Each structure stands twice: as structure tokens, then as C-alpha cells.
Amino acid sequence: MVEVFVDGAPLRVPQGASAAAAVLLAGADAIRETPVSGAPRLPYCMMGVCFDCLAEIDGTANRQACLVPVAPGMRIARQRGARVAFGG
């Protein structure tokens, strides 16, 4: 088991799980919000195709959480607003 933080709350998840799985295990209501309407989204395909799992992971935005394995102390936070392609 590995301890991670989902929106600041500690959570123990199986080693080897993805950050997206940690979000789902945490029971979060969303991992990101759509840039146009602000509609909440959760991980959907869990294989890197749909981009509904974009999150801020350890301070880096726009990470596909389904493709990132958890690590001890990892911080997973909700992605807010539009993706930024090149830093700003």
C-alpha cells in the first residue's frame, strides 16, 4: 500500500495503481472541470484515450492520471479550467 493525497486528503492505495484509480477510490466527485461549462469529469476510459482524467499531479498540471502510477506522498489535485499547452 502507498499513501497519496487526493485534493489534500490522505488515502492508502495499492502500489501499482494509477493516480486516476486513487481518485476513484477516494470517492471524489470530479478530477477536472470542463473549460467551457465547468461540468465535472471523472476518469472514464482508464487507458489514455479520452483525457477526462487530466489532473494536477505533484504540482504539474495536465497529467493524464490514468497513465501515472502512484508514488508515496503523491499529491493529486483537481484540474481547473482549460489545458495550457505551453506554460502559459
Side-chain angles (χ1 to χ4, degrees), residues 44-67:
Y44 180 67
C45 75
M46 298 298 282
M47 61 182 183
V49 175
C50 73
F51 292 89
D52 272 343
C53 68
L54 288 179
E56 181 179 307
I57 298 176
D58 290 335
T60 302
N62 303 316
R63 302 287 309 272
Q64 282 183 272
C66 68
L67 301 178

